[in-house]
Amino acid sequence: MTATTRLRRLSTIAGAAIAVASGGSIFFYPSISANDRGGGSNLAAIRQKINDPFAFVPSREVQQSTLIGASSANPLDILVIGGGATGTGVALDAVTRGLRVGLVEREDFSSGTSSRSTKLIHGGVRYLEKAVFNLDYGQLKLVFHALEERKQLIDNAPHLCHALPCMTPCFNWFEAVYYWMGLKMYDLVAGRRLLHLSRYYSAQESAELFPTLARKGKDRSLWGTVVYYDGQMNDSRLNVGLACTSALAGAAVLNHAEVVSFLKDDVSKRIIGAHIRDNLSGKEFDTYAKVVVNAAGPFCDSVRKIADNDVRPIICPSSGVHIVLPDYYSPEGMGLIVPKTKDGRVVFMLPWLGRTVAGTTDSNTGITLLPEPHEDEIQFILDAISDYLNVKVRRTDVLSAWSGIRPLAMDPSAKNTESISRDHVVFEDYPGMVTVTGGKWTTYRSMAEDAVNAAIKAGKLNPSNRCLTTNLRLVGGDGWEPSSFTLLAQQYMRMKSTYSGKVVPGVMDTAAAKHLSHAYGTLAERVAAIAQNENLGKRLAHGYPFLEAEVAYCARHEYCESAVDFIARRSRLAFLDTDAAGRALPRIIEILATEHKWDKTRETQELQKAKEFLGTFKSSRNAQFHDGKHN
């Protein structure tokens, strides 16, 4: 397709949309679901339950007892397998419809794909390009859907999500016009869910906004940039928030609990429950449910095989590699996205939690519990971003590197294997078990809604109300404001114990207050109170705002059961700086041991497991590399 043809097609479709939009409604915008019309008294009651200032999540022991208490005579309505974004989303959706819900997760909430994302809440601007040039309405529907969910997700967890401007460099007039028109169309399709309008900046203006952006390269000069907006999140904190919100609403959620086998009806062979092993205590028990929802992400085929070893696999795993660099590589509050590099892949560089995360789009991979990035993939990212920066890109600057597995799914009813979906799929291929997989973080809520709808049909369940999650803020989000951190800075001290045991006061500085406010929302005061009243106000790692009080709080109120749970999911230290996480481990384990009453043997095991986990994050110090370019 020629450049002229591409521009003509883009302008024709954009023009048509503008023409219809001028009549008072936007042609491309989908109809608003019933969920947007409010939830009445049921929604108000659930919000009150979740936001009760005196409410705490039930203990892990209570949650396990609830699962054990679900008998064949009095089963759960739904048992969810998988504690990622989709699984916890299913649990929250189902319990807020008035159903009895249990959830089990083999490792920890967000231990797999959901903590290893790009951290973007995006509408899928690449899908829009494909929709236009392939005249593919299916791709266009993906964009509609994701833009709707993008805004809803940011609204439902405002402390953990925000809008992020992303800069796209242009190196000639055609790229400038092409990207400007494409991103203006993206704005148009977003309609009332628009975050901010995109706009064009000259080369000089772009350099002021992004000082490390190169204005001249090997064989090209920067013409200008187009800046558009997508969302950004703290993915595993969001996932943990979903789990805790589900628990407060009445779901029995249990991490570190694995499905060993399914319980089946002797006559119909329908799944009626599961045999579960608590991986912390080794205890095994049965729990019964009218329907099982398989939301195990990349491992959903493994769960399906427990039910029927002869099932046809539907997962096509795809790997995304990310590296974390110091903050000086990118300015605070501005990302860089290159839509097409030399080999056709997208490369991005985004500010995240005070550092810079860079990475690529998907490539084929195998399924493993702890995926590791290959050195050549890390080098590819470094090479790719160095083409666009005016600073030396060094391998020694890599603070952390990780790989995540995205479960792209094939429709099990399709006749060939070419029907890999970028959307999600929901189906019941074994009586009593509904599987939901595919999709992306942005659309987790609607994936969960579709899965619960399918489960209600499969189990002939009787919910007391419809889906309410569209307008339901997660715990910590209701009443939160961007200025909430000032309350912490003004009213709390960080009391710290020195090595000699002397208690010294410390200021609740802006960095620590902002971190607590964004990580815990309106519950941040609970963490600040622990820092002040229990002398746990010391920082866990130099240069990072994470406090000792967070370890105690997460152990008590967020189902943090291991050192890895904390460094990887409750805080993001392992993802931000592998070496800093390693240095913080002894103190983290000491606090967890006090909270969970561990003996010395368990402490030693925790240290060993955490070190092995950190070994899969290829920072500059724990990786072997020989590269003259990036030394």
Side-chain angles (χ1 to χ4, degrees), residues 25-32 36 144 147-149 151 188-194:
S25 62
I26 295 181
F27 174 72
F28 277 147
Y29 204 73
S31 60
I32 305 303
D36 276 353
F144 290 144
L147 287 168
E148 174 85 10
E149 293 297 324
K151 185 64 166 63
L188 183 68
V189 171
R192 67 186 181 89
R193 302 294 194 188
L194 180 70

Side-chain angles (χ1 to χ4, degrees), residues 203-233:
Q204 177 62 38
E205 290 171 324
S206 301
E208 292 171 3
L209 289 170
F210 204 113
T212 53
L213 181 65
R215 293 186 62 174
K216 290 192 178 295
K218 298 171 186 174
D219 53 358
R220 63 191 178 191
S221 296
L222 184 70
W223 183 278
T225 63
V226 181
V227 173
Y228 72 100
Y229 286 78
D230 260 329
Q232 191 178 51
M233 63 180 166

Side-chain angles (χ1 to χ4, degrees), residues 89 123 136 151 153 169 217 259 347 395 450 455 470 495 534 556 579:
D136 186 340
K151 185 64 166 63
L153 178 51
V259 171
V347 166
R395 178 62 176 87
D450 290 347
T470 302
M495 304 302 290
E534 300 181 34
R556 295 171 195 175
D579 301 325

Side-chain angles (χ1 to χ4, degrees), residues 289-485:
K290 296 173 185 176
V291 186
V292 169
V293 173
N294 172 14
F299 300 96
C300 81
D301 279 339
S302 301
V303 174
R304 292 170 68 230
K305 283 183 177 293
I306 296 175
D308 179 2
N309 197 48
D310 297 325
V311 293
R312 171 184 165 191
I314 61 166
I315 294 297
C316 295
S318 168
S319 170
V321 174
H322 304 76
I323 64 174
V324 171
L325 298 163
D327 57 350
Y328 52 71
Y329 275 90
S330 64
E332 183 180 353
M334 179 67 75
L336 181 72
I337 293 184
V338 181
K340 195 168 288 187
T341 57
K342 297 168 190 171
D343 72 345
R345 280 196 272 182
V346 175
V347 166
F348 54 84
M349 199 169 71
L350 312 168
W352 183 63
L353 299 183
R355 296 295 178 262
T356 299
V357 60
T360 63
T361 49
D362 307 332
S363 56
N364 293 332
T365 188
I367 297 177
T368 178
L369 201 58
L370 280 178
E372 297 185 32
H374 296 296
E375 191 61 35
D376 58 348
E377 293 171 317
I378 296 173
Q379 297 296 349
F380 172 83
I381 298 171
L382 294 171
D383 285 336
I385 63 174
S386 66
D387 288 344
Y388 299 91
L389 300 181
N390 59 17
V391 296
K392 184 173 178 58
V393 179
R394 306 183 302 180
R395 178 62 176 87
T396 50
D397 280 340
V398 176
L399 301 171
S400 181
W402 75 88
S403 175
I405 300 173
R406 183 178 180 186
L408 298 178
M410 292 181 293
D411 187 337
S413 61
K415 295 179 181 178
N416 58 61
T417 58
E418 295 177 1
S419 56
I420 298 173
S421 175
R422 291 278 167 174
D423 202 354
H424 61 277
V425 294
V426 180
F427 58 94
E428 183 186 16
D429 64 343
Y430 195 94
M433 182 169 73
V434 170
T435 294
V436 54
T437 191
K440 57 186 178 180
W441 239 118
T442 307
T443 57
Y444 88 88
R445 192 210 62 80
S446 64
M447 290 172 65
E449 182 178 353
D450 290 347
V452 175
N453 288 342
I456 289 169
K457 183 178 178 181
K460 297 181 174 60
L461 307 179
N462 295 303
S464 58
N465 50 268
R466 58 174 176 75
C467 174
L468 300 177
T469 54
T470 302
N471 296 312
L472 186 65
R473 283 197 164 173
L474 302 189
V475 63
D478 196 52
W480 181 87
E481 297 289 343
S483 60
S484 295
F485 75 94

Side-chain angles (χ1 to χ4, degrees), residues 119-176:
K119 323 303 178 198
L120 282 177
I121 313 167
H122 60 92
V125 68
R126 284 186 298 147
Y127 302 152
L128 180 60
E129 186 180 35
K130 290 177 184 176
V132 170
F133 294 116
N134 299 334
L135 298 178
D136 186 340
Y137 184 63
Q139 295 282 348
L140 191 59
K141 285 199 297 184
L142 285 178
V143 182
F144 290 144
H145 183 55
L147 287 168
E148 174 85 10
E149 293 297 324
R150 179 188 71 176
K151 185 64 166 63
Q152 203 61 62
L153 178 51
I154 294 172
D155 289 346
N156 283 348
H159 56 304
L160 294 166
C161 308
H162 62 272
L164 177 72
C166 299
M167 181 176 280
T168 298
C170 309
F171 296 97
N172 54 53
W173 71 268
F174 170 75
E175 286 188 349

